Amino acid sequence: MKTIEHIAIIMDGNGRWAQQRGLYRSRGHQEGYETAKKIVKAVSALKIPYITLYAFSTENWKRTTEEVGFLMRLIKKHLRAEFQFYVENNIRMIHIGNLSALPKDIQKEISDVTEKTKHHAGTAVVFAINYGGKDEIIRALQKIPADKINSITESSFSEYLDYPLPDVDLLIRTGGEKRISNFLLWQTAYAELYFTDTLWPDFTEDDLHQALQSYKHRDRRFGGIT
Ligand code: FPP
């Protein structure tokens, strides 16, 4: 199979999934959380080196206090509850996004799990929490010492991003919308895009395999000629 190093997912459609069933939006996020667990397990079993999940964007603060609070609790719960799973499966947890603007308890949870799993050599699960692609690029620019600005290259610039991730090979977005929504702007420069109408809570391991199958048939030229 064509190699794949990095899958990124925009897990969209939780709210609609709940609304279609006359449930609170939070119920959709709860189901979305279960889906994320299943997909991480499948990606880890496939030995794909990196999966990045868009769990909370810099724009998601615009939602109601209840929804933001629920998502924060869910993220915290996930980091705690899945720690044993990370250990058993040799998974490395990485965070990208503006950590300092997150609630203190979440910051601590993220730092703890990142530290305790940093030596794991299996799949890296990258959680984008309080993440925005433009925000990451701006914060990276602010970290570059003035005397290095003129000698910066594409590869040395990556070192200033939240984490020097490999480029995304396949970007999946569920929920029917066809846009990037400020996700991994630098890292998706040559990503293959896969959009599906399936709402995130309904996304299954079979759907993941379908996306991988589609990726397998893409002709990746990176601007060149095959
Ligand atoms: C988009 O659906 C989804 C989010 C903003 C949150 C994603 C979070 C999770 C799946 C749960 C947390 C996961 C982990 C792994 C900790 P939406 O609410 O915009 O859906 P809509 O477009 O139907 O309204």
Side-chain angles (χ1 to χ4, degrees), residues 3-9 48-52 96 124 126 131 136-137 153-159 161 163-172 183-193 215 220-223:
T3 56
I4 181 156
E5 194 178 6
H6 188 179
I7 296 189
I9 309 185
I48 294 171
Y50 289 86
I51 172 168
T52 302
I96 56 170
V126 186
Y131 179 86
E136 183 186 29
I137 292 169
T153 62
E154 288 183 10
S155 102
S156 67
F157 180 70
S158 301
E159 300 294 319
L161 293 168
Y163 192 89
L165 293 169
D167 279 348
V168 173
D169 296 303
L170 174 64
L171 172 67
I172 299 173
F183 190 36
L184 299 173
L185 296 183
W186 179 267
Q187 302 86 342
T188 53
Y190 273 102
E192 295 297 327
L193 308 180
Y215 172 78
R220 302 193 80 193
R221 295 190 296 278
F222 299 97

Side-chain angles (χ1 to χ4, degrees), residues 9-220:
I9 309 185
I10 301 178
M11 309 178 286
D12 198 13
N14 295 343
R16 276 166 287 161
W17 183 92
Q19 276 155 359
Q20 283 171 6
R21 289 162 177 76
L23 302 167
Y24 289 115
R25 290 177 58 83
S26 53
R27 203 33 229 297
H29 294 313
Q30 179 64 44
E31 288 299 318
Y33 164 85
E34 299 300 332
T35 301
K37 268 167 53 176
K38 272 188 288 188
I39 297 304
V40 164
K41 279 182 197 175
V43 165
S44 154
L46 290 168
K47 302 203 184 312
I48 294 171
Y50 289 86
I51 172 168
T52 302
L53 298 172
Y54 207 0
F56 194 89
S57 79
T58 45
E59 287 74 36
N60 286 151
W61 297 106
K62 293 179 201 155
R63 299 189 176 204
T64 63
T65 322
E66 289 76 31
E67 187 165 344
V68 169
F70 184 86
L71 279 168
M72 288 295 151
R73 286 193 297 281
L74 201 60
I75 288 166
K76 186 172 165 185
K77 180 178 141 194
H78 176 94
L79 295 172
R80 277 233 176 123
E82 302 314 316
F83 180 68
Q84 200 47 39
F85 170 75
Y86 293 160
V87 173
E88 282 160 17
N89 292 276
N90 211 11
I91 286 175
R92 186 158 94 260
M93 209 298 264
I94 294 169
H95 169 256
I96 56 170
N98 191 344
L99 187 66
S100 64
L102 281 165
K104 288 275 178 290
D105 58 332
I106 307 262
Q107 284 189 39
K108 186 173 174 330
E109 209 66 50
I110 290 174
S111 307
D112 276 1
V113 184
T114 322
E115 180 60 30
K116 286 183 185 150
T117 62
K118 71 176 182 201
H119 58 284
H120 290 168
T123 295
V125 177
V126 186
F127 281 113
I129 307 171
N130 194 23
Y131 179 86
K134 288 187 176 181
D135 179 63
E136 183 186 29
I137 292 169
I138 295 283
R139 286 185 294 101
L141 283 170
Q142 290 165 345
K143 288 181 218 160
I144 306 174
D147 62 336
K148 296 253 167 61
I149 285 277
N150 287 330
S151 55
I152 207 91
T153 62
E154 288 183 10
S155 102
S156 67
F157 180 70
S158 301
E159 300 294 319
Y160 294 96
L161 293 168
D162 290 339
Y163 192 89
L165 293 169
D167 279 348
V168 173
D169 296 303
L170 174 64
L171 172 67
I172 299 173
R173 180 174 189 141
T174 61
E177 312 287 2
K178 294 181 178 64
R179 52 177 171 258
I180 308 276
S181 297
N182 202 13
F183 190 36
L184 299 173
L185 296 183
W186 179 267
Q187 302 86 342
T188 53
Y190 273 102
E192 295 297 327
L193 308 180
Y194 182 86
F195 299 106
T196 168
D197 288 339
T198 304
L199 303 176
W200 177 247
D202 290 329
F203 193 81
T204 62
E205 211 179 314
D206 275 353
D207 294 317
L208 173 71
H209 287 291
Q210 257 185 53
L212 290 169
Q213 200 57 27
S214 162
Y215 172 78
K216 191 175 150 188
H217 293 106
R218 306 284 176 99
D219 179 18
R220 302 193 80 193

